Amino acid sequence: MAMLGKKRSPRRASGVSGLAREPQPKTSSASGVTAEGTDNGRVRIERLAHDGRGVGHLASGKAIFVERALPGEQVSVATHLTRKRYDEAHIKQRFDDSPQRVEPPCVYFDRCGGCNLQHMTMAAQREHKCHVVRELFARQGLALADDIAMLYTGAEQYRRRARLGVNVDGQGRVRVGFRAAGSHRLVDIEHCHVLVPALQALLAPLREVIQRLEAPRSVGHIELIATPDTCALIVRQLKPHAGDAERWQAFADGLAHTAPTNVALGLLQGRHTPQMEWLTEPPELEETLALPGRQTLTLGFAPGDFLQANAAVNAKMVAQVLDWLMPAPGQRLLDLFAGIGNFSLPAAAAGAEVVALEGDPAMVERLADNARRNGLVVRAAQADLNAVDDVATLLAESAPDTVILDPPRAGAEALCKALANAPRRAARVAYVSCDPATLARDVAYLVAGGYRIMQVAVADMFVHTAHMETLILLQDASSPAASQETHAVS
């Protein structure tokens, strides 16, 4: 499933994704890559790659990445992609099972690309994510201690936003679903194991109306968003169609009588400069952020704004950052890549003097509105957080005591260089990342500049996937508090 907003980049297409699909012979002399469906016999799986694939070695010594294979298992494999240094393969037969293996709870597991770790126990999934973080930090010369905190809940139906794809195959059949792993091919689905119940209940009626459309090819995708009080469906209509617009309107009119919750439906029409038209009353989308022992906050947002997919784990993540930074009256806190105020508002509610910077002007306006609706004072402003000179200037002007970073997947390289070299450094930095590789790179700049890693936590934001959020607390080594605390580097 793709994400609303632009924090995470799409998956790279690379080869065959599951046992149900036969590899097609193909060669590419330009790239040195071949895909021939070669039978390579038995392989013993030694470990997991970062993306959750099993890793073993062929008799020749060449590494091979095997989809859905677990450490310790012996498998017969068929190679579907051959590269110079390694091969990519899928299982033909499994001769033994790892203790970490379980039956996947979703019937689409072998085809859908959304949840690639469903064949692993929850404990194994979470340990794997912690191992990935340790390994990526080790590559930067940073050896993390063993006690990485894990933030999670027991809920598997967690996903409150998703993108439902629509296409028509060569036989004219309408498909509604999610992309296959490493492919643009759409997997037709009737239900999704990880969607919140309110969105799950809308899949069947959506499928019915899409299959009645005269021009289903003009529908690119449908965004699904759930809040505690409202569900919003945004149909991406690439080319307006009068007859189908009437069908969508009839569907919208019927939602008021059949949907179990309040549902808003909008058409986002046009290919290059799409315009939004709500077929129901425009929704008031609100995120409720309830933190133990703290003020419950209401954050408004719009379709397209970045919003974490897992509300419960997001609340745990915000609470963890607040526990680390202990915002209090008089503390100057700088929130960078602030979004709609996920961290800014709770810090301001605790009394901190918050400056919140964000690159998207619309998000800045939303954050300011959210501060007002909650009776909080936050200075929200737009800034290019990737421009080194601008970053150095804003750090000098704001002179923060503490800094929160929550950047997109590309990370915050310029910011971390500036933070490390600032004449007056922030005493504490909390870095929240959706990509542990860019996080490790950026933290290495901070450590080289005189910061120490004090705490590490992994948030299991995306259950059954190899994705995670990683949280790091760093302390200026020259700060008196740093010498009194046990840091998280072994």
Side-chain angles (χ1 to χ4, degrees), residues 5 42 44 83 88 155 161 198 224 245 260 293 304 321 351 397 400 425 448:
R42 296 192 181 192
R44 178 66 70 181
R83 299 180 183 273
E88 299 183 26
R161 58 181 178 79
L224 312 177
V321 169
E397 290 176 348
R425 288 207 300 242

Side-chain angles (χ1 to χ4, degrees), residues 12 25 37 51 79 175 188 210 249 272 341 345 376 382 388:
R12 177 180 58 87
D51 62 5
T79 299
R175 295 181 181 271
D188 202 32
I210 292 169
Q249 184 63 66
H272 301 297
L345 270 62
L376 300 172
Q382 191 271 337
V388 177

Side-chain angles (χ1 to χ4, degrees), residues 91-105:
I91 297 173
K92 290 181 63 180
Q93 184 178 356
R94 209 169 54 240
F95 299 101
D96 47 19
D97 285 347
S98 164
Q100 298 177 346
R101 182 173 290 279
V102 295
E103 186 67 22

Side-chain angles (χ1 to χ4, degrees), residues 261-329:
T261 187
N262 183 39
V263 180
L265 178 66
L267 294 181
L268 186 60
Q269 300 187 86
R271 188 176 296 275
H272 301 297
T273 56
Q275 301 296 314
M276 174 68 81
E277 177 189 0
W278 289 103
L279 305 184
T280 60
E281 284 294 318
E284 186 173 357
L285 299 175
E286 294 180 341
E287 149 86 320
T288 300
L289 194 55
L291 306 177
R294 295 184 170 93
Q295 176 184 347
T296 296
L297 301 169
T298 301
L299 283 68
F301 65 95
D305 289 351
F306 177 75
L307 186 72
Q308 290 285 9
N310 190 323
V313 174
N314 178 64
K316 286 180 175 287
M317 194 167 66
V318 175
Q320 181 67 83
V321 169
L322 295 184
D323 287 347
W324 283 349
L325 296 181
M326 297 177 292

Side-chain angles (χ1 to χ4, degrees), residues 199-219:
L199 294 182
Q200 180 73 259
L202 293 171
L203 291 183
L206 269 173
R207 170 181 288 277
E208 291 177 6
V209 68
I210 292 169
Q211 291 179 336
R212 293 198 304 267
L213 297 177
E214 291 182 20
R217 285 187 173 87
S218 69
V219 178

